Amino acid sequence: MKVTKVTCHVLQSKVEKPFVSARGWRYTTRSSCVVEIETDAGITGWGECYGPAAVNKALIETQYAPRVVGRDPFDVEVVWEDLYNRIKDYGAQGFSITALSGLDIALWDIMGRATGQPIHKLIGGAYRTEIMAYATGLYFIDMDRLVEEAVEEAQGYVADGFRAIKMKIGLGDPALDLRRVRAVREAIGPDVKLAVDANHCFTVPQAIQLGRAMESLDLLWFEEPISPEDHDGYALVSQALDMAVAGGENDFTRWGFRDIIAKKAMDIVQPDVCAAGGISEMRKIATLASAFGVECVPHAWGSAIGLAATIQFIASLPDQPPAFRPMPPMLEFEQTPNPLRDELAREPIRQVRGMVKVPDGPGLGIEVDRDVLMKWKTA
């Protein structure tokens, strides 16, 4: 079997109700670069790239696709190394890896479809048939009701069956952040897990000060408290706090995670399958984390394709730690309006009572709806 064609689809949909994240980032659209790889056997695989879609498309079409056409999809690791070595003189992280991630996922999807097996079977098997999902939300929408809207949204997720929630902080006012987190914790009660995500908006002293103030609120983790480049700063925050510190969605490949994990700069690493290097590289990052006793809880953001790839990968991760009362890795199930997540698969991925079933169909386990693909395609 040989690859005959690589196509990038730039998808974009407007957000009906714009929302704001830490640092004042305002989201008015959701977009994605979806990768389609065709073969001479009539089998097609799908992947997704994290980040601005047009840049990923340009990288794939000009740098990667010519080197993938004619290759055997089952040589996925060989292809990965070839593409990485082709581009690393110009950037061994960032867009060069997010673009590579989409291609890698699509090749794994092809292998699964060719063998009639889900990806989790190809990478060692599934430890679980369903995964606990946590709802990512509680962004900033109504600036006059920041505390009230957070409480109402969190209560809605609990009513929907979620047993874990991740909320945004980083308003520029740590006292207001703390008041908002405390109000949500009181509203959802002690039995629902709660994490906070600052999208790297704090300095090291600010993160430590706010983290200490939040420690009594029984939080799962404090995500991206500081800038992703500052690994030494992460180590300082982690050592100073009695709560787990998480990060890594903006880190790439085994080399990007090597020093983070070895020095335990983070208690939890969160590589994104659509960003960190695809399925092939996620396996290596998770192995590194396991060897050093660091938890791996992948980040997820994007369309149904990226979500399906994340589920397939999480299914293959062992409990952490694999001992008495272990904690299975959870699935990030982002809840802001996103038709690319909710409509692109013919059978949407859903949570029921806080759990998501692992698709057992071949490859990613989902089928892309081409009508929806064309509906949202802009390039």
Side-chain angles (χ1 to χ4, degrees), residues 120 123-128 130-131 269-271 279 282-290 294-299 309-320 322 327-331 358:
H120 65 254
I123 57 178
Y127 285 88
R128 55 197 65 84
E130 58 180 6
I131 301 170
V269 289
Q270 299 171 307
I279 297 288
M282 290 286 282
R283 299 169 71 196
K284 300 175 178 67
I285 294 166
T287 298
L288 273 174
S290 176
V294 174
E295 287 186 52
C296 181
V297 183
H299 173 265
T310 306
I311 292 170
Q312 291 290 334
F313 181 73
I314 291 176
S316 73
L317 286 178
D319 290 347
Q320 304 167 66
M327 177 181 289
M330 294 192 298
L331 169 70
V358 177

Side-chain angles (χ1 to χ4, degrees), residues 9 16-17 27 34 68 126 140 171 197 207 291 293-294 303 316 330 348 372:
H9 305 277
E16 292 183 6
K17 196 173 185 180
Y27 292 86
V34 167
V68 175
F140 316 126
L171 291 162
D197 182 1
V294 174
S303 80
S316 73
M330 294 192 298
V372 173

